[in-house]
């Protein structure tokens, strides 16, 4: 598997001087930074596959930061967001956090507060990416099972005994035992509990 790229902090703010200042600050702690004047500019550029986060101004000409935040999932942008604003209020900040933002900082903010928020956001995205990789691996293992093995697994995780599975599938009990053992090995499940957890995780996809 290809190694993901280094962490990147994306900044969207229509204030050129602020963009430059944030880039300098983040560069001072060796963080790769890409700056954009608008949401449209950001969306037009490809993003790396490594962990990242988005520093997003609340109010900008064109599409606002808060509107974009509401649309990010639909647009396939899953970066943790840190809001910055010169016009914020408590209610706006509370809503942003409830909607999933990592932090809501009012200008002027302390450099360290922003850097701390960036580290929290990057760690959150590292965990998200790790879950994506784990989920993809689990789906690959499920697809490695034969149709017969999948049938056995579906019934076993419902709590049915081997003889009950055999009766429902109209096969011999020894066949169920063999398919069950092979399925456990292919899935990497050390116990029935492990297998149940895996199938629960796979449920939204294709089981």
């Amino acid at each position: 598997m290809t190694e993901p790229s280094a962490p990147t902090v994306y900044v969207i703010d229509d204030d050129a001087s602020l963009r430059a200042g944030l880039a300098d600050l983040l560069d001072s702690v060796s963080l790769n930074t890409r700056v954009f004047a608008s949401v449209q500019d950001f969306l037009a550029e490809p993003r790396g596959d490594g962990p990242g986060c988005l520093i997003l101004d609340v109010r900008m000409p064109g599409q606002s930061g808060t509107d974009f935040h509401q649309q990010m999932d639909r647009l396939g942008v899953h970066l943790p967001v840190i809001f910055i604003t010169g016009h914020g209020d408590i209610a706006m900040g509370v809503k942003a956090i409830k909607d999933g933002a990592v932090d809501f900082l009012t200008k002027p903010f302390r450099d360290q507060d922003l850097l701390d928020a960036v580290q929290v956001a990057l760690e959150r995205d590292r965990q998200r990416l790790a879950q994506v990789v784990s989920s993809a691996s689990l789906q690959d293992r499920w697809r490695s099972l034969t149709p017969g093995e999948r049938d056995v697994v579906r019934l076993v995780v419902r709590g049915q005994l081997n003889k009950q599975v055999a009766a429902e599938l109209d096969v011999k009990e020894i066949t169920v035992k063999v398919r069950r053992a092979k399925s456990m090995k292919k899935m990497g499940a050390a116990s029935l509990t492990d297998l149940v957890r895996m199938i629960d995780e796979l449920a939204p996809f294709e089981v």
Side-chain angles (χ1 to χ4, degrees), residues 10-16 18-19 22 36-39 54-69 72 81-88 92 96 103-107 109 114:
Y10 303 88
V11 178
I12 307 178
D13 197 298
D14 62 317
D15 185 331
L18 182 63
R19 292 198 303 273
L22 289 176
F36 304 90
S38 68
V39 168
L54 178 59
I55 298 175
L56 183 60
D57 192 11
V58 169
R59 295 183 181 178
M60 294 178 287
Q63 187 174 35
S64 72
T66 49
D67 286 345
F68 177 54
H69 189 222
M72 283 174 58
V81 169
I82 301 163
F83 277 114
I84 56 175
T85 181
H87 310 281
M92 186 183 294
D103 211 337
F104 188 93
L105 302 175
T106 303
K107 305 172 188 175
F109 44 78
L114 179 66

mmCIF file of all heavy atoms in Angstrom, residues 10-16 18-19 22 36-39 54-69 72 81-88 92 96 103-107 109 114:
data_model
loop_
_atom_site.group_PDB
_atom_site.id
_atom_site.type_symbol
_atom_site.label_atom_id
_atom_site.label_comp_id
_atom_site.label_asym_id
_atom_site.label_seq_id
_atom_site.Cartn_x
_atom_site.Cartn_y
_atom_site.Cartn_z
ATOM 1 N N TYR A 10 -4.892 23.215 5.265
ATOM 2 C CA TYR A 10 -5.476 24.042 4.212
ATOM 3 C C TYR A 10 -6.114 25.269 4.859
ATOM 4 O O TYR A 10 -6.810 25.151 5.870
ATOM 5 C CB TYR A 10 -6.527 23.259 3.431
ATOM 6 C CG TYR A 10 -5.995 21.979 2.815
ATOM 7 C CD1 TYR A 10 -6.002 20.783 3.533
ATOM 8 C CD2 TYR A 10 -5.473 21.972 1.529
ATOM 9 C CE1 TYR A 10 -5.509 19.609 2.979
ATOM 10 C CE2 TYR A 10 -4.978 20.796 0.969
ATOM 11 C CZ TYR A 10 -5.002 19.625 1.702
ATOM 12 O OH TYR A 10 -4.503 18.465 1.150
ATOM 13 N N VAL A 11 -5.862 26.432 4.281
ATOM 14 C CA VAL A 11 -6.388 27.683 4.821
ATOM 15 C C VAL A 11 -7.248 28.346 3.752
ATOM 16 O O VAL A 11 -6.789 28.545 2.623
ATOM 17 C CB VAL A 11 -5.257 28.643 5.234
ATOM 18 C CG1 VAL A 11 -5.832 29.965 5.748
ATOM 19 C CG2 VAL A 11 -4.348 27.998 6.284
ATOM 20 N N ILE A 12 -8.481 28.683 4.106
ATOM 21 C CA ILE A 12 -9.345 29.448 3.198
ATOM 22 C C ILE A 12 -9.741 30.732 3.903
ATOM 23 O O ILE A 12 -10.473 30.714 4.897
ATOM 24 C CB ILE A 12 -10.614 28.668 2.800
ATOM 25 C CG1 ILE A 12 -10.268 27.289 2.250
ATOM 26 C CG2 ILE A 12 -11.411 29.476 1.774
ATOM 27 C CD1 ILE A 12 -11.492 26.460 1.885
ATOM 28 N N ASP A 13 -9.229 31.845 3.386
ATOM 29 C CA ASP A 13 -9.535 33.170 3.945
ATOM 30 C C ASP A 13 -9.331 34.201 2.851
ATOM 31 O O ASP A 13 -8.348 34.125 2.105
ATOM 32 C CB ASP A 13 -8.632 33.463 5.149
ATOM 33 C CG ASP A 13 -9.169 34.597 6.008
ATOM 34 O OD1 ASP A 13 -9.271 35.738 5.485
ATOM 35 O OD2 ASP A 13 -9.482 34.363 7.184
ATOM 36 N N ASP A 14 -10.237 35.151 2.746
ATOM 37 C CA ASP A 14 -10.124 36.146 1.677
ATOM 38 C C ASP A 14 -9.134 37.257 1.995
ATOM 39 O O ASP A 14 -8.838 38.083 1.141
ATOM 40 C CB ASP A 14 -11.501 36.746 1.370
ATOM 41 C CG ASP A 14 -12.095 37.470 2.570
ATOM 42 O OD1 ASP A 14 -12.006 36.941 3.694
ATOM 43 O OD2 ASP A 14 -12.649 38.569 2.390
ATOM 44 N N ASP A 15 -8.586 37.271 3.198
ATOM 45 C CA ASP A 15 -7.603 38.293 3.604
ATOM 46 C C ASP A 15 -6.195 37.792 3.276
ATOM 47 O O ASP A 15 -5.679 36.878 3.931
ATOM 48 C CB ASP A 15 -7.747 38.550 5.105
ATOM 49 C CG ASP A 15 -6.851 39.685 5.601
ATOM 50 O OD1 ASP A 15 -5.770 39.906 5.005
ATOM 51 O OD2 ASP A 15 -7.227 40.329 6.588
ATOM 52 N N ALA A 16 -5.557 38.399 2.270
ATOM 53 C CA ALA A 16 -4.242 37.941 1.814
ATOM 54 C C ALA A 16 -3.192 38.027 2.914
ATOM 55 O O ALA A 16 -2.338 37.138 3.043
ATOM 56 C CB ALA A 16 -3.794 38.750 0.596
ATOM 57 N N LEU A 18 -3.636 37.851 6.141
ATOM 58 C CA LEU A 18 -3.870 36.811 7.141
ATOM 59 C C LEU A 18 -3.419 35.454 6.606
ATOM 60 O O LEU A 18 -2.804 34.672 7.332
ATOM 61 C CB LEU A 18 -5.343 36.759 7.524
ATOM 62 C CG LEU A 18 -5.694 35.734 8.603
ATOM 63 C CD1 LEU A 18 -4.986 36.067 9.912
ATOM 64 C CD2 LEU A 18 -7.196 35.652 8.833
ATOM 65 N N ARG A 19 -3.694 35.189 5.339
ATOM 66 C CA ARG A 19 -3.236 33.931 4.750
ATOM 67 C C ARG A 19 -1.727 33.803 4.842
ATOM 68 O O ARG A 19 -1.191 32.753 5.213
ATOM 69 C CB ARG A 19 -3.665 33.833 3.274
ATOM 70 C CG ARG A 19 -5.146 33.687 3.050
ATOM 71 C CD ARG A 19 -5.454 33.170 1.643
ATOM 72 N NE ARG A 19 -4.904 33.993 0.588
ATOM 73 C CZ ARG A 19 -5.498 35.046 0.055
ATOM 74 N NH1 ARG A 19 -6.684 35.430 0.526
ATOM 75 N NH2 ARG A 19 -4.940 35.717 -0.939
ATOM 76 N N LEU A 22 -0.680 33.176 8.501
ATOM 77 C CA LEU A 22 -0.952 31.800 8.933
ATOM 78 C C LEU A 22 0.022 30.821 8.292
ATOM 79 O O LEU A 22 0.483 29.880 8.943
ATOM 80 C CB LEU A 22 -2.389 31.414 8.581
ATOM 81 C CG LEU A 22 -3.487 32.102 9.397
ATOM 82 C CD1 LEU A 22 -4.866 31.705 8.877
ATOM 83 C CD2 LEU A 22 -3.359 31.765 10.876
ATOM 84 N N PHE A 36 -5.797 29.454 0.262
ATOM 85 C CA PHE A 36 -6.754 29.760 -0.802
ATOM 86 C C PHE A 36 -7.565 30.984 -0.408
ATOM 87 O O PHE A 36 -7.883 31.183 0.761
ATOM 88 C CB PHE A 36 -7.695 28.579 -1.034
ATOM 89 C CG PHE A 36 -6.978 27.289 -1.341
ATOM 90 C CD1 PHE A 36 -6.600 26.427 -0.313
ATOM 91 C CD2 PHE A 36 -6.669 26.947 -2.648
ATOM 92 C CE1 PHE A 36 -5.937 25.246 -0.584
ATOM 93 C CE2 PHE A 36 -5.997 25.764 -2.930
ATOM 94 C CZ PHE A 36 -5.626 24.913 -1.898
ATOM 95 N N ALA A 37 -7.934 31.774 -1.414
ATOM 96 C CA ALA A 37 -8.708 32.992 -1.166
ATOM 97 C C ALA A 37 -10.205 32.724 -1.098
ATOM 98 O O ALA A 37 -10.959 33.574 -0.614
ATOM 99 C CB ALA A 37 -8.415 34.020 -2.250
ATOM 100 N N SER A 38 -10.642 31.563 -1.583
ATOM 101 C CA SER A 38 -12.075 31.269 -1.607
ATOM 102 C C SER A 38 -12.303 29.766 -1.587
ATOM 103 O O SER A 38 -11.392 28.972 -1.874
ATOM 104 C CB SER A 38 -12.721 31.856 -2.866
ATOM 105 O OG SER A 38 -12.261 31.164 -4.023
ATOM 106 N N VAL A 39 -13.527 29.392 -1.273
ATOM 107 C CA VAL A 39 -13.918 27.981 -1.310
ATOM 108 C C VAL A 39 -13.757 27.426 -2.716
ATOM 109 O O VAL A 39 -13.297 26.297 -2.915
ATOM 110 C CB VAL A 39 -15.376 27.823 -0.824
ATOM 111 C CG1 VAL A 39 -15.898 26.420 -1.122
ATOM 112 C CG2 VAL A 39 -15.485 28.124 0.662
ATOM 113 N N LEU A 54 -8.664 21.840 7.910
ATOM 114 C CA LEU A 54 -9.044 23.042 7.181
ATOM 115 C C LEU A 54 -9.271 24.185 8.153
ATOM 116 O O LEU A 54 -10.098 24.088 9.061
ATOM 117 C CB LEU A 54 -10.320 22.758 6.380
ATOM 118 C CG LEU A 54 -10.932 23.889 5.570
ATOM 119 C CD1 LEU A 54 -9.952 24.423 4.535
ATOM 120 C CD2 LEU A 54 -12.208 23.410 4.885
ATOM 121 N N ILE A 55 -8.507 25.264 7.968
ATOM 122 C CA ILE A 55 -8.745 26.502 8.709
ATOM 123 C C ILE A 55 -9.641 27.360 7.819
ATOM 124 O O ILE A 55 -9.256 27.730 6.709
ATOM 125 C CB ILE A 55 -7.426 27.228 9.032
ATOM 126 C CG1 ILE A 55 -6.553 26.351 9.935
ATOM 127 C CG2 ILE A 55 -7.711 28.569 9.712
ATOM 128 C CD1 ILE A 55 -5.168 26.936 10.207
ATOM 129 N N LEU A 56 -10.828 27.669 8.298
ATOM 130 C CA LEU A 56 -11.868 28.233 7.443
ATOM 131 C C LEU A 56 -12.432 29.517 8.037
ATOM 132 O O LEU A 56 -12.914 29.529 9.165
ATOM 133 C CB LEU A 56 -12.978 27.182 7.288
ATOM 134 C CG LEU A 56 -14.150 27.476 6.381
ATOM 135 C CD1 LEU A 56 -13.703 27.725 4.951
ATOM 136 C CD2 LEU A 56 -15.133 26.297 6.424
ATOM 137 N N ASP A 57 -12.363 30.598 7.253
ATOM 138 C CA ASP A 57 -12.955 31.857 7.676
ATOM 139 C C ASP A 57 -14.471 31.739 7.614
ATOM 140 O O ASP A 57 -15.022 31.132 6.696
ATOM 141 C CB ASP A 57 -12.480 32.986 6.756
ATOM 142 C CG ASP A 57 -12.825 34.363 7.315
ATOM 143 O OD1 ASP A 57 -13.241 34.452 8.480
ATOM 144 O OD2 ASP A 57 -12.674 35.354 6.569
ATOM 145 N N VAL A 58 -15.145 32.294 8.596
ATOM 146 C CA VAL A 58 -16.603 32.192 8.651
ATOM 147 C C VAL A 58 -17.256 33.000 7.541
ATOM 148 O O VAL A 58 -18.130 32.513 6.822
ATOM 149 C CB VAL A 58 -17.126 32.648 10.030
ATOM 150 C CG1 VAL A 58 -18.643 32.796 10.007
ATOM 151 C CG2 VAL A 58 -16.704 31.664 11.114
ATOM 152 N N ARG A 59 -16.814 34.252 7.389
ATOM 153 C CA ARG A 59 -17.463 35.142 6.425
ATOM 154 C C ARG A 59 -16.492 35.517 5.318
ATOM 155 O O ARG A 59 -15.430 36.075 5.566
ATOM 156 C CB ARG A 59 -17.969 36.395 7.121
ATOM 157 C CG ARG A 59 -19.065 36.118 8.137
ATOM 158 C CD ARG A 59 -19.588 37.396 8.762
ATOM 159 N NE ARG A 59 -20.623 37.125 9.749
ATOM 160 C CZ ARG A 59 -21.216 38.060 10.478
ATOM 161 N NH1 ARG A 59 -20.872 39.339 10.333
ATOM 162 N NH2 ARG A 59 -22.149 37.734 11.359
ATOM 163 N N MET A 60 -16.897 35.209 4.077
ATOM 164 C CA MET A 60 -16.089 35.540 2.908
ATOM 165 C C MET A 60 -17.011 35.933 1.772
ATOM 166 O O MET A 60 -18.176 35.521 1.745
ATOM 167 C CB MET A 60 -15.239 34.333 2.472
ATOM 168 C CG MET A 60 -14.185 33.908 3.456
ATOM 169 S SD MET A 60 -13.279 32.452 2.880
ATOM 170 C CE MET A 60 -14.544 31.172 3.110
ATOM 171 N N PRO A 61 -16.523 36.717 0.817
ATOM 172 C CA PRO A 61 -17.334 36.995 -0.371
ATOM 173 C C PRO A 61 -17.658 35.687 -1.097
ATOM 174 O O PRO A 61 -16.860 34.754 -1.099
ATOM 175 C CB PRO A 61 -16.415 37.881 -1.223
ATOM 176 C CG PRO A 61 -15.457 38.484 -0.255
ATOM 177 C CD PRO A 61 -15.242 37.435 0.798
ATOM 178 N N GLY A 62 -18.831 35.614 -1.692
ATOM 179 C CA GLY A 62 -19.226 34.358 -2.328
ATOM 180 C C GLY A 62 -19.758 33.411 -1.278
ATOM 181 O O GLY A 62 -20.545 33.788 -0.413
ATOM 182 N N GLN A 63 -19.312 32.170 -1.317
ATOM 183 C CA GLN A 63 -19.797 31.183 -0.359
ATOM 184 C C GLN A 63 -19.142 31.367 0.998
ATOM 185 O O GLN A 63 -17.922 31.448 1.120
ATOM 186 C CB GLN A 63 -19.532 29.764 -0.875
ATOM 187 C CG GLN A 63 -20.161 28.695 0.006
ATOM 188 C CD GLN A 63 -20.022 27.317 -0.596
ATOM 189 O OE1 GLN A 63 -19.028 27.010 -1.222
ATOM 190 N NE2 GLN A 63 -21.030 26.480 -0.409
ATOM 191 N N SER A 64 -19.935 31.420 2.046
ATOM 192 C CA SER A 64 -19.389 31.602 3.389
ATOM 193 C C SER A 64 -18.803 30.299 3.902
ATOM 194 O O SER A 64 -19.120 29.212 3.417
ATOM 195 C CB SER A 64 -20.488 32.075 4.346
ATOM 196 O OG SER A 64 -21.397 31.023 4.619
ATOM 197 N N GLY A 65 -17.957 30.437 4.919
ATOM 198 C CA GLY A 65 -17.361 29.254 5.509
ATOM 199 C C GLY A 65 -18.381 28.344 6.157
ATOM 200 O O GLY A 65 -18.296 27.120 6.067
ATOM 201 N N THR A 66 -19.389 28.940 6.810
ATOM 202 C CA THR A 66 -20.404 28.117 7.474
ATOM 203 C C THR A 66 -21.259 27.353 6.460
ATOM 204 O O THR A 66 -21.612 26.193 6.688
ATOM 205 C CB THR A 66 -21.301 28.983 8.374
ATOM 206 O OG1 THR A 66 -21.760 30.125 7.623
ATOM 207 C CG2 THR A 66 -20.537 29.472 9.595
ATOM 208 N N ASP A 67 -21.582 27.999 5.352
ATOM 209 C CA ASP A 67 -22.351 27.296 4.310
ATOM 210 C C ASP A 67 -21.542 26.127 3.746
ATOM 211 O O ASP A 67 -22.063 25.032 3.526
ATOM 212 C CB ASP A 67 -22.720 28.252 3.173
ATOM 213 C CG ASP A 67 -23.836 29.213 3.563
ATOM 214 O OD1 ASP A 67 -24.507 28.958 4.580
ATOM 215 O OD2 ASP A 67 -24.023 30.216 2.855
ATOM 216 N N PHE A 68 -20.253 26.367 3.493
ATOM 217 C CA PHE A 68 -19.398 25.314 2.946
ATOM 218 C C PHE A 68 -19.286 24.147 3.918
ATOM 219 O O PHE A 68 -19.330 22.978 3.520
ATOM 220 C CB PHE A 68 -18.021 25.880 2.624
ATOM 221 C CG PHE A 68 -17.042 24.854 2.123
ATOM 222 C CD1 PHE A 68 -17.352 24.053 1.040
ATOM 223 C CD2 PHE A 68 -15.804 24.696 2.733
ATOM 224 C CE1 PHE A 68 -16.459 23.108 0.569
ATOM 225 C CE2 PHE A 68 -14.901 23.756 2.269
ATOM 226 C CZ PHE A 68 -15.234 22.957 1.193
ATOM 227 N N HIS A 69 -19.184 24.460 5.206
ATOM 228 C CA HIS A 69 -19.071 23.414 6.220
ATOM 229 C C HIS A 69 -20.274 22.473 6.161
ATOM 230 O O HIS A 69 -20.138 21.247 6.318
ATOM 231 C CB HIS A 69 -18.960 24.059 7.601
ATOM 232 C CG HIS A 69 -18.623 23.108 8.691
ATOM 233 N ND1 HIS A 69 -19.221 23.138 9.925
ATOM 234 C CD2 HIS A 69 -17.756 22.058 8.741
ATOM 235 C CE1 HIS A 69 -18.732 22.178 10.689
ATOM 236 N NE2 HIS A 69 -17.841 21.515 9.999
ATOM 237 N N MET A 72 -19.795 20.028 3.061
ATOM 238 C CA MET A 72 -18.535 19.318 2.846
ATOM 239 C C MET A 72 -18.716 17.823 2.624
ATOM 240 O O MET A 72 -18.096 17.244 1.722
ATOM 241 C CB MET A 72 -17.584 19.584 4.021
ATOM 242 C CG MET A 72 -16.939 20.967 3.962
ATOM 243 S SD MET A 72 -15.941 21.375 5.431
ATOM 244 C CE MET A 72 -14.739 20.046 5.452
ATOM 245 N N VAL A 81 -12.489 20.773 10.603
ATOM 246 C CA VAL A 81 -12.522 22.222 10.370
ATOM 247 C C VAL A 81 -12.238 22.999 11.648
ATOM 248 O O VAL A 81 -12.768 22.681 12.715
ATOM 249 C CB VAL A 81 -13.893 22.642 9.798
ATOM 250 C CG1 VAL A 81 -14.044 24.163 9.793
ATOM 251 C CG2 VAL A 81 -14.060 22.089 8.386
ATOM 252 N N ILE A 82 -11.398 24.014 11.497
ATOM 253 C CA ILE A 82 -11.172 25.017 12.550
ATOM 254 C C ILE A 82 -11.681 26.335 11.995
ATOM 255 O O ILE A 82 -11.168 26.839 10.992
ATOM 256 C CB ILE A 82 -9.688 25.140 12.913
ATOM 257 C CG1 ILE A 82 -9.139 23.801 13.406
ATOM 258 C CG2 ILE A 82 -9.476 26.243 13.954
ATOM 259 C CD1 ILE A 82 -7.626 23.730 13.392
ATOM 260 N N PHE A 83 -12.703 26.896 12.610
ATOM 261 C CA PHE A 83 -13.235 28.175 12.153
ATOM 262 C C PHE A 83 -12.443 29.331 12.759
ATOM 263 O O PHE A 83 -12.062 29.294 13.931
ATOM 264 C CB PHE A 83 -14.703 28.331 12.559
ATOM 265 C CG PHE A 83 -15.669 27.676 11.620
ATOM 266 C CD1 PHE A 83 -16.430 26.599 12.038
ATOM 267 C CD2 PHE A 83 -15.828 28.147 10.315
ATOM 268 C CE1 PHE A 83 -17.327 25.995 11.179
ATOM 269 C CE2 PHE A 83 -16.727 27.546 9.447
ATOM 270 C CZ PHE A 83 -17.478 26.466 9.879
ATOM 271 N N ILE A 84 -12.213 30.361 11.949
ATOM 272 C CA ILE A 84 -11.660 31.620 12.447
ATOM 273 C C ILE A 84 -12.582 32.734 11.965
ATOM 274 O O ILE A 84 -13.121 32.671 10.866
ATOM 275 C CB ILE A 84 -10.210 31.867 11.973
ATOM 276 C CG1 ILE A 84 -10.119 31.830 10.448
ATOM 277 C CG2 ILE A 84 -9.262 30.851 12.596
ATOM 278 C CD1 ILE A 84 -8.731 32.191 9.905
ATOM 279 N N THR A 85 -12.764 33.750 12.803
ATOM 280 C CA THR A 85 -13.675 34.818 12.423
ATOM 281 C C THR A 85 -13.396 36.092 13.196
ATOM 282 O O THR A 85 -12.911 36.050 14.328
ATOM 283 C CB THR A 85 -15.137 34.405 12.664
ATOM 284 O OG1 THR A 85 -16.011 35.460 12.251
ATOM 285 C CG2 THR A 85 -15.385 34.101 14.135
ATOM 286 N N GLY A 86 -13.682 37.195 12.559
ATOM 287 C CA GLY A 86 -13.621 38.484 13.237
ATOM 288 C C GLY A 86 -14.999 38.960 13.622
ATOM 289 O O GLY A 86 -15.163 40.049 14.172
ATOM 290 N N HIS A 87 -16.019 38.171 13.316
ATOM 291 C CA HIS A 87 -17.405 38.615 13.512
ATOM 292 C C HIS A 87 -18.239 37.553 14.217
ATOM 293 O O HIS A 87 -19.453 37.503 14.051
ATOM 294 C CB HIS A 87 -18.057 38.942 12.159
ATOM 295 C CG HIS A 87 -17.241 39.853 11.305
ATOM 296 N ND1 HIS A 87 -17.186 41.212 11.493
ATOM 297 C CD2 HIS A 87 -16.420 39.581 10.256
ATOM 298 C CE1 HIS A 87 -16.391 41.755 10.595
ATOM 299 N NE2 HIS A 87 -15.903 40.784 9.831
ATOM 300 N N GLY A 88 -17.608 36.715 14.973
ATOM 301 C CA GLY A 88 -18.332 35.615 15.586
ATOM 302 C C GLY A 88 -19.028 36.001 16.874
ATOM 303 O O GLY A 88 -18.773 37.050 17.461
ATOM 304 N N MET A 92 -22.954 31.382 17.433
ATOM 305 C CA MET A 92 -22.346 30.872 16.204
ATOM 306 C C MET A 92 -21.277 29.833 16.526
ATOM 307 O O MET A 92 -21.168 28.804 15.854
ATOM 308 C CB MET A 92 -21.729 32.024 15.406
ATOM 309 C CG MET A 92 -21.187 31.632 14.042
ATOM 310 S SD MET A 92 -20.395 33.034 13.187
ATOM 311 C CE MET A 92 -21.815 34.097 12.918
ATOM 312 N N ALA A 96 -21.248 25.822 15.520
ATOM 313 C CA ALA A 96 -20.150 25.261 14.738
ATOM 314 C C ALA A 96 -19.590 24.007 15.408
ATOM 315 O O ALA A 96 -19.329 23.000 14.741
ATOM 316 C CB ALA A 96 -19.048 26.306 14.559
ATOM 317 N N ASP A 103 -12.717 23.604 16.445
ATOM 318 C CA ASP A 103 -12.619 24.798 17.284
ATOM 319 C C ASP A 103 -13.201 25.988 16.539
ATOM 320 O O ASP A 103 -13.414 25.941 15.313
ATOM 321 C CB ASP A 103 -11.161 25.072 17.668
ATOM 322 C CG ASP A 103 -11.035 25.737 19.035
ATOM 323 O OD1 ASP A 103 -12.013 26.376 19.479
ATOM 324 O OD2 ASP A 103 -9.978 25.608 19.665
ATOM 325 N N PHE A 104 -13.444 27.056 17.277
ATOM 326 C CA PHE A 104 -14.012 28.288 16.738
ATOM 327 C C PHE A 104 -13.250 29.431 17.389
ATOM 328 O O PHE A 104 -13.450 29.719 18.571
ATOM 329 C CB PHE A 104 -15.505 28.354 17.067
ATOM 330 C CG PHE A 104 -16.247 29.477 16.405
ATOM 331 C CD1 PHE A 104 -16.879 29.289 15.184
ATOM 332 C CD2 PHE A 104 -16.318 30.719 17.011
ATOM 333 C CE1 PHE A 104 -17.584 30.316 14.576
ATOM 334 C CE2 PHE A 104 -17.018 31.758 16.416
ATOM 335 C CZ PHE A 104 -17.646 31.558 15.194
ATOM 336 N N LEU A 105 -12.344 30.033 16.635
ATOM 337 C CA LEU A 105 -11.446 31.044 17.188
ATOM 338 C C LEU A 105 -11.802 32.429 16.655
ATOM 339 O O LEU A 105 -11.981 32.613 15.456
ATOM 340 C CB LEU A 105 -9.994 30.716 16.828
ATOM 341 C CG LEU A 105 -9.484 29.353 17.297
ATOM 342 C CD1 LEU A 105 -8.075 29.119 16.775
ATOM 343 C CD2 LEU A 105 -9.520 29.251 18.812
ATOM 344 N N THR A 106 -11.890 33.375 17.575
ATOM 345 C CA THR A 106 -12.214 34.747 17.204
ATOM 346 C C THR A 106 -10.938 35.556 17.034
ATOM 347 O O THR A 106 -10.048 35.532 17.890
ATOM 348 C CB THR A 106 -13.108 35.390 18.278
ATOM 349 O OG1 THR A 106 -14.285 34.594 18.454
ATOM 350 C CG2 THR A 106 -13.512 36.795 17.876
ATOM 351 N N LYS A 107 -10.826 36.262 15.908
ATOM 352 C CA LYS A 107 -9.660 37.113 15.643
ATOM 353 C C LYS A 107 -9.737 38.337 16.554
ATOM 354 O O LYS A 107 -10.822 38.900 16.746
ATOM 355 C CB LYS A 107 -9.656 37.575 14.191
ATOM 356 C CG LYS A 107 -9.712 36.465 13.146
ATOM 357 C CD LYS A 107 -9.905 37.068 11.751
ATOM 358 C CE LYS A 107 -10.150 35.986 10.701
ATOM 359 N NZ LYS A 107 -10.458 36.564 9.377
ATOM 360 N N PHE A 109 -6.599 35.886 17.594
ATOM 361 C CA PHE A 109 -6.449 34.745 18.483
ATOM 362 C C PHE A 109 -4.971 34.506 18.752
ATOM 363 O O PHE A 109 -4.096 34.957 18.011
ATOM 364 C CB PHE A 109 -7.076 33.488 17.868
ATOM 365 C CG PHE A 109 -6.750 33.305 16.409
ATOM 366 C CD1 PHE A 109 -5.529 32.818 15.998
ATOM 367 C CD2 PHE A 109 -7.688 33.636 15.442
ATOM 368 C CE1 PHE A 109 -5.219 32.664 14.663
ATOM 369 C CE2 PHE A 109 -7.393 33.479 14.089
ATOM 370 C CZ PHE A 109 -6.157 32.997 13.705
ATOM 371 N N LEU A 114 -4.297 28.431 18.041
ATOM 372 C CA LEU A 114 -4.505 27.884 16.703
ATOM 373 C C LEU A 114 -3.664 26.638 16.486
ATOM 374 O O LEU A 114 -4.155 25.626 15.967
ATOM 375 C CB LEU A 114 -4.164 28.926 15.643
ATOM 376 C CG LEU A 114 -4.339 28.437 14.201
ATOM 377 C CD1 LEU A 114 -5.812 28.160 13.904
ATOM 378 C CD2 LEU A 114 -3.774 29.434 13.207
#
